[in-house]
């Protein structure tokens, strides 16, 4: 299982064996001290000023570990949504073969606008990707931009999080034209009364 905090990133402990963990008071103490430290910190001002973390009440979450090999990530699906529409989908495949499959909004495999170094895999659209896109549209309706993150494990889709500032807002795109293209998709008109 995983012990983690809800108000930051990479603040977690992976417990591979519950029985061995509970038999080790020293390890439990280390975990307690580390989590107590995390709970007293404000993550938002440490990592690119990710303001969405600012008003979260710090809490501890314990949940099952959804991967067999703790050194390998599960497959992930990132759905970039603008005003409730899925415009760009990236499927990261780490189990088996490393690489990405980038899709446009019509689910055609397209070039990687982020210029990642991973190999592009010509993988067909799966049912999980279709499901992730439909659910992402609903989850993103209230936002001018959000990346909806999913993971698949044993062919089942799991929601990860809503990411409002991918890479703390510092991710470079492949060309300046892609910056302009994605920026033009942000429509603040419907939110002007809230600004």
């Amino acid at each position: 299982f995983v012990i983690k905090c809800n108000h930051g990133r990479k603040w977690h402990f992976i417990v591979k064996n519950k029985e061995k963990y509970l038999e080790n008071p020293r390890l439990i103490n280390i975990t307690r001290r580390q989590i107590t430290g995390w709970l007293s910190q404000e993550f938002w001002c440490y990592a690119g000023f990710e303001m969405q973390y600012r008003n979260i009440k710090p809490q501890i979450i314990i949940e099952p570990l959804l991967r067999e090999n703790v050194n390998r990530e599960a497959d992930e699906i990132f759905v970039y949504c603008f005003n409730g529409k899925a415009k760009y989908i990236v499927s990261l495949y780490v189990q088996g073969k490393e690489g990405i499959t980038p899709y446009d909004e019509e689910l055609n495999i397209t070039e990687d606008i982020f210029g990642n170094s991973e190999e592009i895999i010509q993988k067909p659209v799966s049912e999980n990707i279709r499901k992730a896109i439909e659910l992402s549209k609903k989850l993103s309706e209230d936002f001018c931009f959000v990346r909806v993150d999913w993971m698949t494990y044993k062919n089942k889709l799991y929601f990860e999080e809503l990411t409002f500032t991918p890479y703390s807002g510092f991710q470079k795109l492949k060309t300046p034209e892609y910056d302009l293209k994605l920026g033009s998709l942000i429509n603040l008109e419907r939110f002007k009364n809230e600004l």
Side-chain angles (χ1 to χ4, degrees), residues 76-89:
E76 292 187 288
I77 301 166
F78 295 156
V79 183
Y80 289 78
C81 296
F82 297 83
N83 296 296
K85 294 178 181 165
K87 292 290 185 176
Y88 194 78
I89 301 93

Side-chain angles (χ1 to χ4, degrees), residues 82-103:
F82 297 83
N83 296 296
K85 294 178 181 165
K87 292 290 185 176
Y88 194 78
I89 301 93
V90 177
S91 186
L92 301 171
Y93 296 94
V94 182
Q95 300 291 349
K97 186 175 183 183
E98 295 189 20
I100 68 166
T101 308
Y103 302 94

Side-chain angles (χ1 to χ4, degrees), residues 77 79 81 84-87 89 105 107 125-141 148 150 157:
I77 301 166
V79 183
C81 296
K85 294 178 181 165
K87 292 290 185 176
I89 301 93
E105 59 190 304
L107 293 178
V125 177
S126 69
E127 193 52 44
N128 278 330
I129 289 174
R130 292 185 193 282
K131 192 187 300 182
I133 291 168
E134 287 311 306
L135 293 171
S136 296
K137 289 177 186 176
K138 293 178 183 175
L139 290 170
S140 66
E141 283 175 351
V148 187
W150 304 87
L157 185 69

Side-chain angles (χ1 to χ4, degrees), residues 8-191:
R9 187 173 154 273
K10 295 190 177 180
W11 287 349
H12 64 269
F13 280 100
I14 294 174
V15 178
K16 299 176 187 176
N17 186 303
K18 180 181 175 182
E19 288 72 29
K20 287 183 180 178
Y21 177 79
L22 292 174
E23 291 170 2
N24 190 335
R26 184 175 172 276
L27 188 55
I28 291 172
N29 242 357
I30 290 169
T31 307
R32 183 179 289 124
R33 277 198 314 271
Q34 185 68 69
I35 288 178
T36 300
W38 289 335
L39 290 172
S40 67
Q41 294 180 50
E42 293 194 45
F43 179 82
W44 68 271
C45 55
Y46 293 133
F49 294 99
E50 296 194 36
M51 298 299 285
Q52 65 273 14
Y53 287 107
R54 187 172 186 185
N55 296 316
I56 294 176
K57 179 183 175 185
Q59 296 182 355
I60 300 168
I61 299 171
I62 300 174
E63 61 186 14
L65 180 67
L66 296 180
R67 57 187 186 198
E68 292 169 6
N69 183 343
V70 296
N71 298 317
R72 298 293 301 268
E73 297 291 332
D75 298 345
E76 292 187 288
I77 301 166
F78 295 156
V79 183
Y80 289 78
C81 296
F82 297 83
N83 296 296
K85 294 178 181 165
K87 292 290 185 176
Y88 194 78
I89 301 93
V90 177
S91 186
L92 301 171
Y93 296 94
V94 182
Q95 300 291 349
K97 186 175 183 183
E98 295 189 20
I100 68 166
T101 308
Y103 302 94
D104 63 18
E105 59 190 304
E106 282 86 32
L107 293 178
N108 300 308
I109 294 175
T110 185
E111 71 175 305
D112 175 23
I113 66 173
F114 300 111
N116 293 321
S117 59
E118 294 97 338
E119 179 186 349
I120 291 182
I121 301 173
Q122 300 290 316
K123 195 157 184 174
V125 177
S126 69
E127 193 52 44
N128 278 330
I129 289 174
R130 292 185 193 282
K131 192 187 300 182
I133 291 168
E134 287 311 306
L135 293 171
S136 296
K137 289 177 186 176
K138 293 178 183 175
L139 290 170
S140 66
E141 283 175 351
D142 295 332
F143 309 108
C144 57
F145 168 77
V146 67
R147 189 186 76 193
V148 187
D149 299 352
W150 304 87
M151 66 173 277
T152 60
Y153 179 70
K154 294 188 175 179
N155 206 32
K156 189 172 179 183
L157 185 69
Y158 293 89
F159 172 74
E160 283 187 335
E161 67 177 3
L162 298 176
T163 301
F164 294 97
T165 52
Y167 305 96
S168 298
F170 292 108
Q171 183 176 24
K172 290 185 178 177
L173 301 187
K174 195 171 184 179
T175 68
E177 288 74 28
Y178 285 126
D179 268 321
L180 291 170
K181 180 179 178 182
L182 291 184
S184 71
L185 295 173
I186 296 175
N187 179 6
L188 297 176
E189 187 65 28
R190 61 186 273 218
F191 300 100

